Amino acid sequence: MKNMTDHFIVSFLQRFDDHPFDVTFHGETHHIGNGNPVFIVNLKEEIDSSKLLTSTSLALGEAYMKGDLEIEGDLFHALDHFLGQMDKFSTDRTRLKKLIFSSQSKKNQEKEVTYHYDMGNDFYSLWLDETMSYSCGYFKAETDTLYEAQCNKVERILQKLYLKEDMTLLDIGCGWGYLLIRAAKEYGVKGVGITLSREQKKRFEERIEAEGLGDKVSVELMDYRDLKDQGKTFDRIVSVGMLEHVGRENYELFVKNAEAVLKPGGLMLLHYISALREYPGDPWIKKYIFPGGMIPSLREMIHLFSEHQFYTLDVESLRRHYCKTLLHWERNFRDHLPEIEAKMGKEFTRMWHLYLSGCAATFHNGIIDLHQILVTKGVNNELPLTRWY
């Protein structure tokens, strides 16, 4: 076992010494950190030094996708130890400017959203639960299934919105529609969902027809920027996992459009992946998973709401719930690896496995968070004095 090496990649990895691990390369094993290794990195090919220094995330992510880098043991376990040290990653923002700061025009953002969500409903059906919920669940009990956690999450959101029969509810970024369908069936509201994904719209419309809710629920292909021009208003607004696609330059535009269609005193719940500070995003995630994705900080959204006379009623972190949700998805994904690989290819399959495991690790380490913010447009003195939900 050696600690000294002429290989740049091994020398580079020595900076990540918070947790001990081994690196095997060209028949040699190199130990990093102190103590027994908690995981092993098997390198089959040298990784270009300039790529590592330009973006550690891209260089290591692409090496894993191609099979040039293998992790011995549980992928989440290894990433959980490694990704807690992302402050040691190298990122040349000047060289990566076009990737990190992509255009936030309507046309480009529609292209970025459909890239991720129009992969095919059959693909997502393999590893999501029956509700087709692609966002953080809510685990009331340690033993809750993924399906139960997603049902819990939707019910918690609907309770926070203090819904009453015949209220109107707008879902910005409605996904496959489970939330609006449940709101219509359980609370008797009239719901409208908007999405940029044709695949999601198609499945949502099938669900509406199957449930016989054509007079209660509808879905439209629409950009949030067009809301203010529709001439409609709503008693309640919800947006789950959509703000991450808006981009920092457009957060205020998003709030303004919500403000334009929410009735005075109306409630809005924003459920989104958040960050402790303002950060432009991870290059690998932006290139391969969520083009244009940007994670807002909690403080900037609270600030924007207050600037537009939205009163904050409640803020809740579901960070650990999202880690559990992602581990459920990762397990389901792993259970269908042969089928996914046959359908999407080996490199794609490795890429998505890395994405699901890596995201679980970043939530576990607090690199990213998940917040629900509940606000009212102006003052609302009609709500219960306590957290009614």
Side-chain angles (χ1 to χ4, degrees):
M1 186 174 293
K2 299 184 178 183
N3 286 305
M4 302 299 292
T5 178
D6 294 328
H7 301 297
F8 180 84
I9 174 61
V10 180
S11 299
F12 182 85
L13 290 174
Q14 286 172 351
R15 67 173 71 178
F16 302 98
D17 59 358
D18 287 2
H19 304 281
F21 66 100
D22 283 349
V23 180
T24 63
F25 191 45
H26 287 335
E28 299 178 346
T29 299
H30 307 268
H31 187 68
I32 296 173
N34 297 315
N36 294 324
V38 294
F39 61 96
I40 299 172
V41 176
N42 294 318
L43 286 171
K44 297 179 180 179
E45 299 289 341
E46 179 76 76
I47 301 176
D48 186 88
S49 59
S50 65
K51 290 184 178 180
L52 280 165
L53 293 172
T54 299
S55 172
T56 303
S57 173
L58 268 177
L60 296 180
E62 290 176 341
Y64 184 84
M65 288 163 57
K66 295 172 184 175
D68 294 339
L69 183 157
E70 294 281 2
I71 300 295
E72 191 173 314
D74 182 79
L75 183 58
F76 166 74
H77 181 71
L79 292 172
D80 192 37
H81 287 84
F82 187 75
L83 293 180
Q85 306 174 71
M86 286 188 76
D87 57 324
K88 299 177 183 178
F89 280 28
S90 293
T91 306
D92 188 335
R93 293 186 185 178
T94 301
R95 295 184 66 179
L96 297 168
K97 186 176 180 180
K98 288 185 177 180
L99 174 62
I100 293 177
F101 303 102
S102 60
S103 168
Q104 294 176 6
S105 68
K106 271 188 183 183
K107 184 177 181 181
N108 192 60
Q109 288 193 317
E110 180 181 2
K111 179 181 176 183
E112 291 172 343
V113 168
T114 55
Y115 167 86
H116 187 91
Y117 295 98
D118 281 352
M119 252 174 248
N121 293 329
D122 290 345
F123 167 67
Y124 285 104
S125 296
L126 288 174
W127 51 275
L128 295 179
D129 70 293
E130 301 96 304
T131 72
M132 289 291 284
S133 294
Y134 187 26
S135 56
C136 176
Y138 187 80
F139 293 84
K140 287 183 179 180
E142 196 69 27
T143 55
D144 280 349
T145 64
L146 178 60
Y147 172 75
E148 288 169 335
Q150 294 295 3
C151 291
N152 294 341
K153 179 268 302 292
V154 168
E155 184 57 30
R156 189 161 180 81
I157 288 173
L158 298 180
Q159 288 176 343
K160 285 184 179 184
L161 287 170
Y162 199 60
L163 297 171
K164 296 181 180 179
E165 191 168 357
D166 292 328
M167 275 187 172
T168 51
L169 172 62
L170 170 67
D171 189 345
I172 305 175
C174 60
W176 288 277
Y178 178 72
L179 185 149
L180 280 181
I181 286 174
R182 188 157 170 184
K185 291 176 69 175
E186 293 191 12
Y187 292 87
V189 305
K190 296 177 181 177
V192 176
I194 66 170
T195 178
L196 291 176
S197 168
R198 286 173 171 78
E199 285 287 299
Q200 288 182 338
K201 180 176 183 288
K202 178 184 175 183
R203 176 63 67 87
F204 192 176
E205 287 175 332
E206 291 170 354
R207 283 177 148 181
I208 292 170
E209 184 177 356
E211 296 283 354
L213 292 172
D215 60 334
K216 287 280 191 181
V217 183
S218 63
V219 55
E220 300 177 31
L221 280 176
M222 185 191 299
D223 191 289
Y224 72 91
R225 282 167 275 209
D226 296 327
L227 283 169
K228 65 182 185 301
D229 300 321
Q230 298 301 304
K232 297 178 182 178
T233 56
F234 299 87
D235 297 297
R236 302 288 189 262
I237 296 177
V238 63
S239 184
V240 178
M242 179 271 180
L243 186 65
E244 300 89 323
H245 299 287
V246 167
R248 184 151 283 119
E249 293 175 13
N250 289 335
Y251 294 154
E252 186 166 23
L253 186 59
F254 176 87
V255 172
K256 283 181 177 179
N257 272 270
E259 180 186 24
V261 297
L262 185 60
K263 294 177 183 178
L267 275 71
M268 176 175 177
L269 186 137
L270 188 62
H271 169 122
Y272 71 103
I273 298 172
S274 61
L276 192 63
R277 299 180 182 88
E278 297 71 39
Y279 178 66
D282 177 75
W284 184 81
I285 288 285
K286 280 178 172 272
K287 183 173 181 179
Y288 291 104
I289 308 297
F290 289 113
M294 186 80 70
I295 297 175
S297 68
L298 176 61
R299 63 187 175 188
E300 65 186 321
M301 295 313 301
I302 295 289
H303 171 76
L304 275 173
F305 276 131
S306 65
E307 289 296 303
H308 289 270
Q309 294 300 302
F310 281 95
Y311 284 73
T312 302
L313 299 182
D314 191 44
V315 178
E316 183 176 18
S317 168
L318 301 182
R319 176 180 62 82
R320 290 182 293 170
H321 292 267
Y322 217 163
C323 179
K324 284 181 68 68
T325 302
L326 279 152
L327 289 176
H328 275 279
W329 289 343
E330 186 274 338
R331 193 176 304 117
N332 291 346
F333 191 91
R334 200 163 9 101
D335 288 343
H336 291 91
L337 278 178
E339 191 174 348
I340 294 170
E341 190 172 314
K343 180 181 178 67
M344 310 297 283
K346 188 171 184 177
E347 189 168 306
F348 174 94
T349 304
R350 289 178 65 86
M351 176 178 77
W352 266 71
H353 192 203
L354 180 63
Y355 151 60
L356 294 172
S357 300
C359 282
T362 51
F363 277 107
H364 189 250
N365 280 281
I367 296 164
I368 50 178
D369 207 322
L370 188 289
H371 279 99
Q372 287 185 356
I373 307 176
L374 182 67
V375 298
T376 60
K377 180 181 173 180
V379 172
N380 186 325
N381 291 324
E382 306 304 316
L383 299 170
L385 286 172
T386 60
R387 284 182 168 92
W388 58 94
Y389 46 87

